[in-house]
Amino acid sequence: MKTAEVNNICVVGAGSMGHQIGMLCALGGYETTIQDVNEDALGKAKEALEFQMDKWVSKGKISSEQRIEAFSRLLFTTSLEEAAQETDFVIEAIVEKLEVKRQVFSELDRLAPPHTILATNSSTIVSSLLAEATNRPDKVCNMHFFFPPLVMDCVEVVKGEHTSDETVKVTMEICEKINRTAVLLQKEISGFIANRILGALTTEAVKLYEEGYADFEDIDLICTKALKHPIGPFGLMDLSGIDVAYFVHEQRYAETGDPNDKPPKSIEEKVQAGTLGRKTGRGWYNYSTQKA
């Protein structure tokens, strides 16, 4: 399949990543369907995108006409069958749990046309673990966007041994069309490049906090002031979701069996308490008094 033959894109998952990836595709000229099993999640996704695109228009980033055209290309549905049956390219952006993703990829393999490429936005799971659930492993790859996708200009495209050169070429060219810089990884590794580097920093930050060397606020302050990071590791966990960090540790531990890869105690406690960051109003920091 050639990139010119990609007209319809399906994004599975309307969460913090999925709905923004969907808008990037619509802005890039693709007929785009965002699918989620949760009707409420779809409603919130549409509302968030309308708010974001209104801001873009007011700031002159896009015109009113571009906004209207993008939304005219955007469809929301709870039906995976409806979303997949005529799509040329799928971007999966659901919860970071291997078995859930494998189930979805198996369903997509059954529902989507034979030529359709199946990409995963997973932040840590290599696509070979998902390709096994399909009859089209050559058409499966990682396409890892960064949060928030409408702001962050980078996509890690990962070529597994199962992934065809054609699949990689099409995926890279789609990134270009939706105005994102794609970087190709020639072979698989859990967590890819950015998150392995970021994960090492975050793991050390949490260890220093748990061992009582400094409060998490002060660790964040050192990272922003001394290292010139735009946000500290604890603030970043709140932004992306502490549960995401927890699932990444769980998946890494399942792969390695190394006790050092288990979720840190402080992160596990926050997940158990349901204080997952900005999306719940409280994580490492308290956001309940802030305006949405």
Side-chain angles (χ1 to χ4, degrees):
M1 183 174 66
K2 297 180 180 179
T3 309
E5 297 170 343
V6 177
N7 298 302
N8 295 278
I9 291 180
C10 163
V11 178
V12 181
S16 57
M17 295 294 292
H19 74 279
Q20 292 199 17
I21 294 170
M23 178 52 74
L24 282 175
C25 295
L27 288 167
Y30 292 106
E31 297 296 325
T32 305
T33 301
I34 298 176
Q35 185 274 339
D36 199 291
V37 294
N38 189 321
E39 185 77 53
D40 185 52
L42 291 173
K44 289 179 178 178
K46 185 176 182 181
E47 183 179 328
L49 289 176
E50 288 174 342
F51 175 77
Q52 187 67 51
M53 291 304 102
D54 284 344
K55 285 178 62 177
W56 278 25
V57 170
S58 67
K59 292 180 178 180
K61 296 184 69 173
I62 60 173
S63 66
S64 297
E65 291 74 17
Q66 287 174 309
R67 180 196 183 283
I68 293 170
E69 289 172 2
F71 275 102
S72 73
R73 289 189 286 265
L74 205 53
L75 177 69
F76 299 84
T77 181
T78 57
S79 170
L80 187 62
E81 181 175 6
E82 178 185 351
Q85 62 185 355
E86 293 184 1
T87 193
D88 304 305
F89 195 98
V90 174
I91 304 171
E92 168 272 314
I94 63 171
V95 65
E96 196 74 353
K97 292 186 176 182
L98 177 59
E99 288 308 312
V100 179
K101 289 181 184 291
R102 283 176 61 90
Q103 183 179 351
V104 168
F105 267 69
S106 178
E107 281 293 288
L108 288 167
D109 185 51
R110 181 178 64 85
L111 295 171
H115 70 272
T116 303
I117 290 172
L118 308 179
T120 175
N121 178 56
S122 173
S123 59
T124 186
I125 298 170
V126 293
S127 68
S128 57
L129 297 176
L130 306 177
E132 296 170 353
T134 77
N135 293 307
R136 61 180 87 191
D138 61 307
K139 292 181 170 60
V140 177
C141 70
N142 287 96
M143 187 185 192
H144 177 220
F145 291 78
F146 292 86
F147 183 81
L150 283 169
V151 175
M152 300 298 286
D153 177 26
C154 187
V155 179
E156 291 175 321
V157 177
V158 187
K159 183 183 188 299
E161 291 185 1
H162 57 283
T163 310
S164 71
D165 291 338
E166 178 186 81
T167 294
V168 169
K169 185 174 186 293
V170 170
T171 305
M172 296 285 286
E173 289 175 353
I174 287 175
C175 290
E176 182 178 356
K177 189 169 180 181
I178 65 174
N179 197 30
R180 286 296 172 267
T181 300
V183 181
L184 177 62
L185 279 63
Q186 296 287 353
K187 58 183 181 179
E188 293 185 328
I189 185 170
S190 177
F192 322 128
I193 302 297
N195 279 347
R196 289 186 71 88
I197 295 171
L198 178 62
L201 183 146
T202 302
T203 297
E204 185 64 19
V206 173
K207 181 181 178 182
L208 291 167
Y209 163 73
E210 290 186 345
E211 294 181 355
Y213 289 100
D215 290 335
F216 68 86
E217 298 100 326
D218 290 330
I219 295 173
D220 273 359
L221 186 63
I222 290 169
C223 288
T224 56
K225 295 295 186 180
L227 303 180
K228 293 297 183 181
H229 292 185
I231 186 171
F234 295 93
L236 184 57
M237 274 190 276
D238 276 0
L239 183 62
S240 58
I242 295 173
D243 53 333
V244 174
Y246 179 82
F247 293 143
V248 167
H249 277 282
E250 274 199 325
Q251 178 61 32
R252 186 71 61 82
Y253 176 61
E255 292 178 14
T256 67
D258 184 346
N260 292 321
D261 288 330
K262 284 185 176 181
K265 183 180 178 181
S266 57
I267 290 179
E268 185 174 7
E269 289 173 348
K270 290 193 178 298
V271 171
Q272 290 174 347
T275 52
L276 307 179
R278 290 178 185 251
K279 61 187 175 184
T280 60
R282 190 177 185 89
W284 292 103
Y285 296 90
N286 185 359
Y287 305 92
S288 60
T289 58
Q290 298 181 10
K291 292 184 180 180

